[in-house]
Amino acid sequence: MHTVAKRPRRHLPPFGLGTPRWRCSQEDFTELTWREIPRAPYSNQIPPLSIHIVLPYTLAPSTKNGHVGTLPIAPSSAPPSPNITWHPSLTRAERSDLRKQKGCTVWFTGLSASGKSTIATALEQHLLKLGLASYRLDGDNVRFGLNKDLGFSEKDRNENIRRIGEVAKLFADSSCITLTSFISPYKADRAQARAMHESTANTDSPLPFIEVFVDIPVEEAEKRDPKGLYKKARAGEIKDFTGISAPYEAPEKPEIHIHSEKTSVEEAVVIITKYLEEHGLLKQ
């Protein structure tokens, strides 16, 4: 028996042959408990389950057997609990003054193989050598941990960028110069990340958000193809690949626009550093 709960809000009929399909939501359950009862010899009866849910789950009909009721397949979004309270701390101005540094997010966006991560890595090293706190969040690296449960469908890409936007905001709020290198192909997702930083809810001032469009023609990116991903996408081995079988919505008014097929990594670092200096973001 597996249990993470004690009390359901209501009892549900057991799963079994002929059980009608049903859906339930967060309001139906409080926690999740399930118990399997051994089936009788030569019986086709499905073992009954007792289910309570501790997290909001979306339940949907089983795709393997139309007679097997439903099973929880994924957490669903839910509004914040009314039982949580924002705890005020230092203001951003106070923290920046104590750290002797202003926080911001430099958001690199562009096709795969455009050079986003290479430029971001070089910029991070340059800023650290200047004695500034900086940290890079990489599109591939975060999928080994924070976002390892996400795929590459449009829905998962949206959630991937939403999470990174929130994490980048926290880093920037700590007075760190945060660098994010993600394809982030959709304008709406990038706009959402920007809005997170610009919001002054529960704080005294917005956080600077600098969008860097690392621009490259898809033909040039295919020639580079350091990971062999374009080749696999052309062969149909990778679905929803940005620039081939999934769209990339280019920024219309990025703070910085770099044509990486014409600009060296060193030149790109100089361009971005100059922008940060001109906007007072490198003052200690």
Side-chain angles (χ1 to χ4, degrees), residues 271-283:
I271 292 171
I272 300 170
T273 300
K274 182 178 180 181
Y275 179 95
L276 297 176
E277 288 177 339
E278 291 176 348
H279 288 78
L281 297 174
L282 299 188
K283 294 181 179 180

Side-chain angles (χ1 to χ4, degrees), residues 103-204:
C104 67
T105 290
V106 181
W107 190 282
F108 292 85
T109 177
L111 293 173
S112 178
S114 63
K116 301 181 302 298
S117 294
T118 303
I119 296 172
T121 298
L123 178 61
E124 180 186 26
Q125 293 173 343
H126 177 62
L127 295 173
L128 290 172
K129 287 180 179 179
L130 293 178
L132 296 164
S134 181
Y135 192 81
R136 179 176 61 92
L137 297 168
D138 182 80
D140 282 345
N141 293 354
V142 297
R143 285 184 176 271
F144 283 93
L146 176 66
N147 292 347
K148 65 181 180 181
D149 60 320
L150 299 177
F152 291 89
S153 66
E154 181 175 350
K155 181 179 179 180
D156 280 1
R157 284 174 180 266
N158 295 343
E159 176 60 14
N160 180 54
I161 297 306
R162 187 197 68 79
R163 292 183 192 179
I164 294 308
E166 293 286 4
V167 172
K169 177 182 176 181
L170 291 174
F171 272 75
D173 188 46
S174 73
S175 299
C176 179
I177 299 176
T178 313
L179 315 176
T180 69
S181 51
F182 293 78
I183 294 175
S184 45
Y186 301 114
K187 292 179 182 178
D189 293 339
R190 298 193 301 268
Q192 181 184 43
R194 182 185 293 274
M196 291 177 189
H197 288 68
E198 294 178 346
S199 173
T200 56
N202 302 311
T203 187
D204 59 315

Side-chain angles (χ1 to χ4, degrees), residues 1-8 12 15 29-36 48-55 72:
M1 180 175 179
H2 313 277
T3 304
V4 292
K6 290 184 179 180
R7 294 173 177 265
L12 293 174
F15 292 112
F29 304 96
T30 55
E31 305 197 353
L32 170 62
T33 300
W34 70 97
R35 176 171 54 193
E36 298 182 5
L49 305 177
S50 172
I51 294 182
H52 317 222
I53 292 184
V54 67
L55 292 175

Side-chain angles (χ1 to χ4, degrees), residues 15-16 24 29 39 50 57 64-65 74 81 115-116 123 156 176 186 193 196 199 213 223 227 241 249 255 259 278 280:
F15 292 112
C24 61
F29 304 96
R39 66 183 65 182
S50 172
Y57 268 76
K64 293 184 178 180
N65 186 329
S81 168
K116 301 181 302 298
L123 178 61
D156 280 1
C176 179
Y186 301 114
M196 291 177 189
S199 173
F213 179 24
K223 290 179 183 178
K227 304 172 186 176
F241 189 79
E249 299 172 358
E255 279 73 13
H259 294 273
E278 291 176 348

